[in-house]
Amino acid sequence: QQVEMDFKIMLEPENIDNKAGLKHPNDETRLPLLTKKKPAPVMLMQNLGLPLLSSFLVAKNSFSFLAGIVQEYHLPVGALSLTGQRLILPAARRALPAPPVVSRAAPGPAFPRQHKKSAEAICGTHSSGEGNIAALPSSNSTASTWKSKAEWRCPAQQLESEVHIPSQTQDPCLDGDIAVHQKAPRFLALQHHHRSSWGSTVGFLEPTGKLLKDPAVPLATTNGQKLAQITWDVDFKANPTKTDILSVIKNQPAVEKILKRAGQGSGGRGGSAGAAAELRRRCPRAQPGSEQRQQRAAAVIGTSWRSRSHLARLRNALREARRRHLENFYSRAKHLAANWNRIRTSRRTIIHIPSLGYSQHIREHIPDLALQQNLQMGRLCDILDANVDVIYICPLALSEELVQYYNKLLGLQAAVRSGSPEDMADLQDRFRILTPEAINSFPEHHLCLATVLRYSPRTMQRLQALLQGRDAFVVGGVPHLDDLAVADQLQVPLLGSEPAVAQLYSTKSGSKRIFASAGVPTPPGEGDIHSREQLLQALSQLILDNLEVQRWLFKVDDEHGGNGTAFCDVISHLECYPWIQRERQGHGPEVWRESPARELALVKISQELPGLLAQHVQPVNEKRFPTWEKFLQTFLTQGGVIEAFPFSAGVTNLTVDLLIEPTGEVTLLASGDQLHAEGPLRSSGTTIPQRSVDPELLKVLCLKIGEACKSKGVLGYFSVDFVAFTHPQTREQQVWATDLDLCYSDQLALTQLLLYMTDGNLDCGSSCLPGPLGSQESKNQRVQHEGTKPVSRILCCSLQPAPSSPWCAVASSQLRHSSLSGISYNLLLHTCQARGVGFDLQEKQGTIFVLYEDQKRHSLGMVTIGEDLQGVLLTFARNLFIIHQEISAPNMQGETNFKMAIRDIEAILGVTAENKLRLEEEQPWEADALKE
């Protein structure tokens, strides 16, 4: 009992009750004299987002301090069995690594002599695996040069300087890895006081560290007295319980609350020790009594690391999933190629996903993205093949009325073949229109349809059920990584290019590389422009080399539909142009190439261009790019090309659709001359088939481009844009390849509808749409006697069609009129029928509407089919005029492109009439043959 009392006195020397309870008052028990000092002012850290921490927070090298303890403190061995008394743990018999080499102290600020000792007494010198770290300077001293280094002292010296610190501050802080450094002054003070029971104390720390794993727990401080008491208790267990451990923690409620949190873990990088190390790095000094702020700071760091770790795991999982999707994509593509000849002639299902998988910054600038992804309803007409069933993924929720419209429209195919309306069939079992349930879940994210479908589990499950045991493949739109994910989840092949390949060669610069590889003619220009200097240098050289070019185009790499295009009539605004022309004519073509005047001309052009472009460049989309600087910023950020506009009055743009089959065969599917209702650089429709270029020449160019695409890994549907014009000097037709889109086009979808409603077959090799002859008096002539008001002077002209000429069509998917929302589709169709706008099943001629949605109802598509181009153009323009009259009030015309489309058709009809007159004058025998 006397021994126990002596130990109590040693543990709590200031406790008067212990002193009064001595059984032998004559025995002198000299208690140490503890003089209290005033705490010196603590230096505060500024410009740090975390509270300051005490310098005795220690390194994250878990048990390296044990070796130092064994070596530094020689425990007596002899009469008593120290292992039996649990003063030395069995684990201490193992060979322990040597203590880490103490690095030189990091440079620190010089303290004034009178404050240096007191500052060290409070903050100490922190030592970690990375060396001693002295106190950090305040914010106003960080820019100054370090003039002194922290003074290293041995543990004994540190202990002497700390012996007068009050006992309540002698409790060390523990982290989750028990990283209590052996040189921490307060730790050494505790060791000095309780050296007789130190072996058991060390044995208590190991299970303690295993429990304290939360990022906030490393800042838990121990009660030294209770720690010594519990380790001396005869009931002390080799494996203490959670209650035993918590009983020695000063801030027990906070630590216990953290330990009760569900799902506690290591906290990310380095666990709790990592959080403590980060806090030590930022805040090596702490104010007394800041435990709560320290806990919050450690929790923030731990949470941040957990988030980083979680994000890293997500990124790795996503990367692995994408790698798996890509591997399966190529694996299934090989299987599709090996079985293509069988699949294309057998029963199969085609899943159409008209997704616009452009980059996020492109999708954000597409107005009404969902509507733009639904312009290809003509894909449903793949059921023209009796072996094909179609599943169409729709980005909009269609009403029952609209679904019934397509049921009836597709049911007309049998009636078209027989010419009898009674033969209409119900084909609802041949096609499905599915709308993903997540179409409204991401209203502000501008997700493409493939992504929305991927996150629509009910629709995916229904698709899996519909595809069970059937040959099927996916036909997408603009390729996106989620197209691969959807196809992989459905376990079907994707008839399309890898997204990375499509994105690379669908850019304007990528298209020029394909065309160069194919060896086809292209406009003079330069690609891959990414800097202002490169732009001015390239444009100056192009102008000097092509002085006959009046207009130059600037095209942003990733944009589409003319939205990223601007143009400038440089020659008409270039002040040095007359001087250059005189110098060129004076030197002659051969001498001019090597003349010094040419270099001077290049300098003059370069000097004029910056101001000229700022004043005279006109972006096509002025709403998005109101100024040249706005356009230039996007142009240089995304990259782009400079391209010459044809130097001719008569310019025709045309588009050809092709398919690279899984077997590698290149097939021409459709062709058409573009309509430009909204300017010469934006396509708003097409006339099918094209009539502006020799079909054989066009076929040769397309096959070359197809082979070049195939060599680059392109697969599936794609389209090529050309421009045709007559050279002003040679009077020969020039054809340039200008653009490449590696996706299913709107023109191809309209062509599918055209072929479905005529039971025809488009021969792109001859640009011919053969079909049965209509009546001698075509509908184009009959409409002139209905007493309707003429659209214009040109549209009133009676154009006699050639009965033997092949069929053709005018089609557009981009017709807009704000007043359409004021009338239901049912009423609109009845009104058009009453005005003679409809389709004749017997003659297989007339007009078909493509309806996209019935919520806003401001857009529609229209296909007009007839026996000759002039008559079809006339009918198309008349239809627009009638619809505009019916839906518009005299004082409310609405926002529309109908009028611009009519003006464009008027111009085409004028050119057509002029060409016919010229043909009769130059080659009357051909004109007579055409009339016959």
Side-chain angles (χ1 to χ4, degrees):
Q1 293 177 354
Q2 181 63 38
V3 172
E4 291 179 1
M5 182 60 65
D6 290 342
F7 273 115
K8 287 183 179 179
I9 295 173
M10 293 176 63
L11 292 174
E12 298 186 29
E14 293 180 311
N15 193 325
I16 300 177
D17 295 335
N18 291 342
K19 185 176 180 180
L22 289 175
K23 288 186 178 182
H24 305 284
N26 294 330
D27 294 343
E28 293 186 1
T29 305
R30 296 187 178 183
L31 303 178
L33 178 63
L34 300 176
T35 61
K36 298 184 179 180
K37 279 188 177 183
K38 275 189 176 183
V42 179
M43 295 183 62
L44 298 179
M45 297 291 297
Q46 299 180 6
N47 299 327
L48 288 177
L50 298 173
L52 301 177
L53 303 180
S54 62
S55 63
F56 46 77
L57 286 179
V58 293
K60 59 185 177 182
N61 298 325
S62 303
F63 300 101
S64 60
F65 73 96
L66 290 176
I69 292 172
V70 174
Q71 295 178 6
E72 190 76 20
Y73 207 93
H74 301 284
L75 296 177
V77 179
L80 295 176
S81 173
L82 299 183
T83 303
Q85 294 292 330
R86 290 185 289 275
L87 297 180
I88 296 180
L89 296 176
R93 296 174 180 172
R94 295 178 295 185
L96 298 173
V101 178
V102 178
S103 306
R104 295 182 62 186
F111 289 104
R113 180 175 298 273
Q114 64 270 24
H115 297 299
K116 184 173 183 180
K117 186 174 181 181
S118 60
E120 288 176 352
I122 292 176
C123 297
T125 300
H126 165 61
S127 177
S128 69
E130 299 175 356
N132 298 337
I133 302 178
L136 293 180
S138 61
S139 61
N140 59 0
S141 65
T142 54
S144 63
T145 305
W146 298 97
K147 295 183 179 179
S148 65
K149 296 184 179 179
E151 192 176 305
W152 183 88
R153 296 176 298 167
C154 67
Q157 292 173 326
Q158 290 181 348
L159 182 60
E160 289 175 4
S161 65
E162 295 288 337
V163 73
H164 298 292
I165 296 179
S167 60
Q168 62 266 27
T169 65
Q170 291 182 356
D171 300 319
C173 293
L174 299 178
D175 63 13
D177 290 329
I178 331 174
V180 184
H181 201 275
Q182 70 259 28
K183 290 184 175 63
R186 299 178 184 182
F187 179 85
L188 292 174
L190 181 67
Q191 181 185 14
H192 176 74
H193 278 289
H194 312 304
R195 60 182 178 273
S196 60
S197 61
W198 189 244
S200 297
T201 303
V202 171
F204 190 82
L205 295 179
E206 182 174 356
T208 302
K210 293 180 180 179
L211 179 64
L212 306 180
K213 292 183 178 179
D214 192 276
V217 178
L219 296 165
T221 56
T222 59
N223 187 313
Q225 291 85 352
K226 290 184 178 180
L227 178 63
Q229 285 178 351
I230 197 170
T231 53
W232 260 107
D233 194 335
V234 294
D235 294 327
F236 169 70
K237 306 176 183 59
N239 294 317
T241 64
K242 180 179 178 180
T243 303
D244 294 333
I245 294 173
L246 291 176
S247 65
V248 302
I249 303 298
K250 271 190 174 182
N251 50 344
Q252 177 179 347
V255 173
E256 190 172 8
K257 180 179 180 181
I258 293 172
L259 290 177
K260 289 181 179 179
R261 290 176 181 172
Q264 71 157 347
S266 61
R269 182 185 63 186
S272 56
E278 177 70 10
L279 290 170
R280 288 195 306 275
R281 182 183 68 81
R282 298 190 183 190
C283 310
R285 297 179 180 272
Q287 293 179 342
S290 60
E291 289 85 357
Q292 292 183 353
R293 286 181 294 169
Q294 295 168 2
Q295 292 171 9
R296 289 196 298 268
V300 169
I301 292 179
T303 302
S304 173
W305 282 343
R306 281 198 301 271
S307 300
R308 293 176 188 173
S309 177
H310 182 60
L311 289 176
R313 288 194 297 270
L314 286 178
R315 284 194 295 267
N316 292 335
L318 181 60
R319 190 180 299 112
E320 176 62 23
R322 287 177 175 174
R323 183 193 62 78
R324 184 178 67 254
H325 296 158
L326 190 60
E327 288 180 354
N328 293 338
F329 162 75
Y330 280 113
S331 175
R332 294 191 177 101
K334 291 180 180 179
H335 179 270
L336 184 65
N339 297 274
W340 180 247
N341 291 329
R342 177 188 62 81
I343 293 175
R344 65 184 301 183
T345 58
S346 60
R347 192 74 179 175
R348 61 195 182 278
T349 300
I350 302 176
I351 306 105
H352 281 287
I353 309 175
S355 174
L356 296 180
Y358 297 110
S359 302
Q360 178 69 20
H361 65 275
I362 301 296
R363 298 198 303 270
E364 289 174 352
H365 291 97
I366 298 178
D368 209 340
L369 177 62
L371 176 66
Q372 293 299 315
Q373 293 180 119
N374 202 39
L375 300 183
Q376 299 179 359
M377 296 293 290
R379 295 188 186 213
L380 291 168
C381 297
D382 278 350
I383 64 173
L384 179 63
D385 187 336
N387 289 323
V388 173
D389 292 340
V390 170
I391 300 176
Y392 179 85
I393 306 301
C394 183
L396 296 166
L398 303 185
S399 66
E400 185 63 28
E401 178 186 2
L402 206 53
V403 174
Q404 288 302 319
Y405 172 79
Y406 282 104
N407 287 340
K408 293 180 180 180
L409 180 65
L410 297 176
L412 289 174
Q413 212 276 327
V416 167
R417 290 178 176 174
S418 65
S420 174
E422 289 77 13
D423 292 335
M424 287 182 58
D426 185 1
L427 301 179
Q428 294 188 49
D429 59 336
R430 295 280 311 283
F431 71 94
R432 296 282 193 280
I433 299 177
L434 302 183
T435 300
E437 68 269 18
I439 56 171
N440 297 320
S441 300
F442 310 97
E444 303 298 330
H445 291 75
H446 306 280
L447 300 181
C448 66
L449 180 58
T451 303
V452 174
L453 176 60
R454 182 183 181 186
Y455 295 110
S456 300
R458 291 199 300 270
T459 305
M460 292 296 293
Q461 290 174 3
R462 187 177 180 189
L463 279 171
Q464 290 172 338
L466 291 173
L467 300 176
Q468 192 71 29
R470 311 189 68 174
D471 285 333
F473 57 88
V474 173
V475 176
V478 177
H480 188 273
L481 288 172
D482 285 331
D483 287 283
L484 305 186
V486 169
D488 191 37
Q489 187 172 345
L490 296 177
Q491 298 183 0
V492 295
L494 173 65
L495 183 57
S497 303
E498 177 189 346
V501 173
Q503 292 173 7
L504 176 62
Y505 294 111
S506 283
T507 64
K508 302 299 185 288
S509 299
S511 300
K512 292 186 76 70
R513 289 192 289 270
I514 289 286
F515 297 150
S517 175
V520 298
T522 57
E526 187 72 28
D528 294 304
I529 305 294
H530 290 277
S531 68
R532 190 184 297 262
E533 295 75 15
Q534 187 184 5
L535 170 67
L536 296 176
Q537 181 181 0
L539 182 57
S540 300
Q541 191 66 53
L542 287 170
I543 292 172
L544 191 59
D545 294 341
N546 303 274
L547 290 172
E548 69 278 4
V549 176
Q550 299 289 323
R551 174 174 292 181
W552 291 93
L553 307 179
F554 307 90
K555 298 181 178 180
V556 178
D557 264 344
D558 294 337
E559 298 290 343
H560 70 286
N563 290 312
T565 302
F567 63 93
C568 182
D569 297 327
V570 176
I571 297 301
S572 60
H573 300 99
L574 194 64
E575 295 180 0
C576 65
Y577 179 71
W579 175 84
I580 295 175
Q581 283 288 68
R582 290 195 301 269
E583 291 292 326
R584 182 186 181 189
Q585 293 173 2
H587 288 82
E590 297 298 330
V591 180
W592 171 252
R593 293 191 183 95
E594 305 296 334
S595 172
R598 180 182 172 88
E599 297 298 326
L600 180 59
L602 188 62
V603 173
K604 287 179 175 289
I605 295 173
S606 301
Q607 291 174 346
E608 282 192 47
L609 277 182
L612 186 152
L613 295 176
Q615 294 182 13
H616 301 291
V617 169
Q618 299 181 43
V620 173
N621 189 344
E622 294 183 351
K623 291 183 178 180
R624 182 177 176 188
F625 304 111
T627 64
W628 162 246
E629 284 300 323
K630 290 281 188 180
F631 179 86
L632 184 62
Q633 181 180 3
T634 302
F635 183 90
L636 298 180
T637 301
Q638 299 183 22
V641 301
I642 306 170
E643 199 170 270
F645 189 80
F647 38 91
S648 175
V651 178
T652 303
N653 297 90
L654 60 146
T655 302
V656 181
D657 290 286
L658 301 96
L659 169 65
I660 300 179
E661 300 183 11
T663 56
E665 182 180 353
V666 181
T667 307
L668 276 67
L669 301 177
S671 66
D673 294 323
Q674 294 180 9
L675 301 176
H676 298 92
E678 300 179 58
L681 300 175
R682 269 187 169 178
S683 174
S684 60
T686 181
T687 61
I688 305 171
Q690 69 84 25
R691 300 284 181 87
S692 57
V693 177
D694 178 18
E696 290 297 327
L697 172 62
L698 191 61
K699 182 178 180 180
V700 171
L701 296 176
C702 289
L703 292 180
K704 286 183 178 180
I705 295 172
E707 292 297 328
C709 288
K710 185 172 67 173
S711 68
K712 303 296 183 181
V714 175
L715 178 67
Y717 296 92
F718 68 99
S719 61
V720 185
D721 289 347
F722 296 90
V723 60
F725 64 98
T726 301
H727 196 284
Q729 281 79 37
T730 63
R731 307 301 299 174
E732 294 181 354
Q733 187 183 60
Q734 302 287 317
V735 181
W736 291 342
T738 58
D739 205 358
L740 178 68
D741 290 314
L742 301 181
C743 61
Y744 198 106
S745 74
D746 293 352
Q747 174 181 275
L748 181 56
L750 293 172
T751 301
Q752 294 293 88
L753 178 60
L754 163 66
L755 299 179
Y756 190 88
M757 297 304 298
T758 60
D759 197 25
N761 182 26
L762 179 61
D763 183 6
C764 292
S766 60
S767 291
C768 180
L769 179 61
L773 292 176
S775 62
Q776 293 297 320
E777 184 181 9
S778 67
K779 181 178 289 188
N780 293 322
Q781 291 174 293
R782 293 199 302 269
V783 297
Q784 301 299 324
H785 305 289
E786 294 180 0
T788 59
K789 189 175 180 179
V791 178
S792 68
R793 180 182 57 82
I794 295 178
L795 295 183
C796 283
C797 298
S798 177
L799 299 171
Q800 177 67 33
S804 61
S805 62
W807 283 3
C808 61
V810 179
S812 175
S813 61
Q814 301 285 346
L815 299 175
R816 299 189 307 276
H817 203 303
S818 59
S819 298
L820 282 170
S821 59
I823 184 172
S824 67
Y825 282 142
N826 193 31
L827 181 57
L828 175 65
L829 295 176
H830 279 89
T831 301
C832 290
Q833 185 179 12
R835 297 292 300 271
V837 179
F839 188 81
D840 192 317
L841 291 176
Q842 294 181 346
E843 295 185 352
K844 301 181 178 62
Q845 299 182 40
T847 298
I848 306 158
F849 293 104
V850 185
L851 308 179
Y852 304 133
E853 49 85 30
D854 50 2
Q855 297 298 320
K856 298 179 180 178
R857 296 197 310 275
H858 54 69
S859 298
L860 54 79
M862 187 168 68
V863 180
T864 300
I865 307 168
E867 295 180 357
D868 74 294
L869 179 60
Q870 293 173 330
V872 172
L873 285 170
L874 178 64
T875 303
F876 191 89
R878 174 182 174 274
N879 293 343
L880 294 179
F881 182 76
I882 290 174
I883 296 173
H884 177 71
Q885 276 189 326
E886 293 294 334
I887 66 176
S888 301
N891 58 344
M892 294 182 63
Q893 297 295 301
E895 295 183 6
T896 179
N897 61 357
F898 282 20
K899 295 180 180 179
M900 292 182 286
I902 292 174
R903 285 196 294 266
D904 186 41
I905 290 174
E906 288 179 349
I908 294 173
L909 289 172
V911 172
T912 303
E914 181 181 347
N915 290 341
K916 181 180 287 188
L917 291 175
R918 183 182 300 136
L919 180 64
E920 291 176 352
E921 292 175 359
E922 297 178 357
Q923 298 175 341
W925 62 272
E926 273 194 25
D928 294 338
L930 183 60
K931 288 180 181 180
E932 294 176 0

